[in-house]
Amino acid sequence: MDNHGQDMYRLAKRLFPICRSITGDGVRDTLSILGEIVPLKTYEVPTGTPVFDWTVPQEWNIRGGFIEDENSKRILDFAWNNLSIVGYSEPVDQIVSREELLEHIYSEPAQPDAIPYVTSYYKRRYGFCMTENQRNALGNGPFHIVIDSELKDGALTYGEIILSGESQQEIFLSTYICHPSMANDNLSGPCLLIYLAKMLSELPRRRYTYRIVFIPETIGSITYLSKNYVHLKKHVVAGFNISCVGDDRTYSYVASRYGNTLADKAAKNVLSFHAPGYQAYSFLQRGSDERQYCAPGIDLPLCAICRSKYGEYPEYHTSLDDLTLISEAGLGGALEVYWKCLMGLEHNYCYRVTCLGEPQLGKRGLYPTLSRKGSANEIRTMTNFIAYADGTNDLFDISNIIHVPVDRLIEIADILRAGGILERMPEARTG
Ligand code: ZN
């Protein structure tokens, strides 16, 4: 596979400066750039639309903002870093005292060089975010504070790609596009998913239909589900929430509510070979859109594979989560893991050997072919595959039992099927 590391990183760099939020032009600009790689359909859901227990909020856009000290010296500017203004800040243009200003300043004392990422979507306020060092260096004032923002009835925007397959059963892939300039959380997610979509779109045949969405986190997944959950519940056989997939440090897995879906099975299997020391988190440590997709009554078979998971790395939700934190190799590794999961799912059937007793491989030209590769292991893998191809084990089960990754088993299954000694059971097992 082409690991697209460079492409994904370059895309992250291009998207990085855009100020995204849960609504607004930053989301639209981001979707339009993603759509250059694989065309996507955008949807606009009007402010005020009821979505389950929530309501689509007003749309927020921001043009700029700053703080100037008593000498008109600019000490903070939205143009320098778009984390500097609290997301969904209402507009302000005032002269304020030092005390008044401090009530609207957010900083992170434990990380004195980091600008924290702060939002206030559902309570009207305004605020500025700065490093603890900047806060400590504030003069006596007064200060001129300006936020040139707008909250108005508009829409919540999201993007969707449907790649149809031979079956109407679906694989559901979701990521969010609502964070301003931060890299691992969250630009890595959309950058990976759009290239995953590109690779899927280039497959000569797809068993499954792929439903791929780029949405604002929480309110976006709730909005999407409220419109589509009946269809999703009926058709989705496995899904992944793709987030925090850009750094190099580790691999993580976040389970579905009970950790027992086909997606969980694929994720755990692939990670056990690709990154055996991966960090496993239960649904109790959820934090992203798996909260909605696995909620009671929705119960989609969906889990998440991350590199350093949200909330678990020091730069999380600060200005330190910048383009130096993610890498081509980090993104490429995560793409490879997701690709292996999807290709495993594409080939996931229960398999059954067609003869009684061990088949004679030599008679079918299989033994010598493998001998020429000089590997007794290959033959052992093949006979082990056959030994567990009793019609009850799917590809992931067999992989787990015989300790061979699914991407190798896919090749072996093809050889054995071509040799007429292995068949797929008619129904794919989905759990
Ligand atoms: Zn986040």
Side-chain angles (χ1 to χ4, degrees), residues 179 185 217 316-317:
H179 290 31
D185 184 21
E217 202 175 21
Y316 169 72
H317 277 197

PDB file of all heavy atoms in Angstrom, residues 179 185 217 316-317, ligand 1:
ATOM      1  N   HIS A 179     -11.776  21.490  15.467  1.00  0.00           N
ATOM      2  CA  HIS A 179     -10.770  22.127  16.320  1.00  0.00           C
ATOM      3  C   HIS A 179      -9.963  23.146  15.514  1.00  0.00           C
ATOM      4  O   HIS A 179      -9.653  22.899  14.352  1.00  0.00           O
ATOM      5  CB  HIS A 179      -9.802  21.093  16.890  1.00  0.00           C
ATOM      6  CG  HIS A 179     -10.391  20.178  17.923  1.00  0.00           C
ATOM      7  ND1 HIS A 179     -11.707  19.800  17.932  1.00  0.00           N
ATOM      8  CD2 HIS A 179      -9.813  19.570  18.992  1.00  0.00           C
ATOM      9  CE1 HIS A 179     -11.914  18.987  18.970  1.00  0.00           C
ATOM     10  NE2 HIS A 179     -10.784  18.826  19.627  1.00  0.00           N
ATOM     11  N   ASP A 185      -4.739  16.209  17.862  1.00  0.00           N
ATOM     12  CA  ASP A 185      -6.172  16.433  18.054  1.00  0.00           C
ATOM     13  C   ASP A 185      -6.480  17.852  17.559  1.00  0.00           C
ATOM     14  O   ASP A 185      -6.294  18.797  18.288  1.00  0.00           O
ATOM     15  CB  ASP A 185      -6.561  16.277  19.525  1.00  0.00           C
ATOM     16  CG  ASP A 185      -8.057  16.413  19.718  1.00  0.00           C
ATOM     17  OD1 ASP A 185      -8.790  16.223  18.739  1.00  0.00           O
ATOM     18  OD2 ASP A 185      -8.492  16.739  20.835  1.00  0.00           O
ATOM     19  N   GLU A 217     -17.413  17.534  16.283  1.00  0.00           N
ATOM     20  CA  GLU A 217     -17.523  16.527  17.345  1.00  0.00           C
ATOM     21  C   GLU A 217     -18.780  16.782  18.184  1.00  0.00           C
ATOM     22  O   GLU A 217     -19.229  17.926  18.322  1.00  0.00           O
ATOM     23  CB  GLU A 217     -16.269  16.592  18.230  1.00  0.00           C
ATOM     24  CG  GLU A 217     -15.990  15.332  19.018  1.00  0.00           C
ATOM     25  CD  GLU A 217     -14.660  15.417  19.774  1.00  0.00           C
ATOM     26  OE1 GLU A 217     -14.162  16.538  20.006  1.00  0.00           O
ATOM     27  OE2 GLU A 217     -14.126  14.355  20.150  1.00  0.00           O
ATOM     28  N   TYR A 316      -1.993  17.777  24.663  1.00  0.00           N
ATOM     29  CA  TYR A 316      -3.411  17.708  24.306  1.00  0.00           C
ATOM     30  C   TYR A 316      -4.151  19.010  24.628  1.00  0.00           C
ATOM     31  O   TYR A 316      -4.008  19.565  25.718  1.00  0.00           O
ATOM     32  CB  TYR A 316      -4.042  16.535  25.079  1.00  0.00           C
ATOM     33  CG  TYR A 316      -5.551  16.485  25.026  1.00  0.00           C
ATOM     34  CD1 TYR A 316      -6.209  16.122  23.867  1.00  0.00           C
ATOM     35  CD2 TYR A 316      -6.308  16.796  26.153  1.00  0.00           C
ATOM     36  CE1 TYR A 316      -7.591  16.067  23.824  1.00  0.00           C
ATOM     37  CE2 TYR A 316      -7.688  16.741  26.123  1.00  0.00           C
ATOM     38  CZ  TYR A 316      -8.333  16.378  24.952  1.00  0.00           C
ATOM     39  OH  TYR A 316      -9.690  16.337  24.922  1.00  0.00           O
ATOM     40  N   HIS A 317      -4.934  19.496  23.664  1.00  0.00           N
ATOM     41  CA  HIS A 317      -5.742  20.715  23.814  1.00  0.00           C
ATOM     42  C   HIS A 317      -4.935  21.929  24.259  1.00  0.00           C
ATOM     43  O   HIS A 317      -5.408  22.737  25.056  1.00  0.00           O
ATOM     44  CB  HIS A 317      -6.943  20.470  24.751  1.00  0.00           C
ATOM     45  CG  HIS A 317      -8.114  19.850  24.025  1.00  0.00           C
ATOM     46  ND1 HIS A 317      -9.387  19.842  24.521  1.00  0.00           N
ATOM     47  CD2 HIS A 317      -8.188  19.234  22.818  1.00  0.00           C
ATOM     48  CE1 HIS A 317     -10.200  19.234  23.654  1.00  0.00           C
ATOM     49  NE2 HIS A 317      -9.488  18.854  22.628  1.00  0.00           N
TER      50      HIS A 317
HETATM   51 ZN    ZN B   1     -10.336  17.582  21.223  1.00  0.00          ZN
END
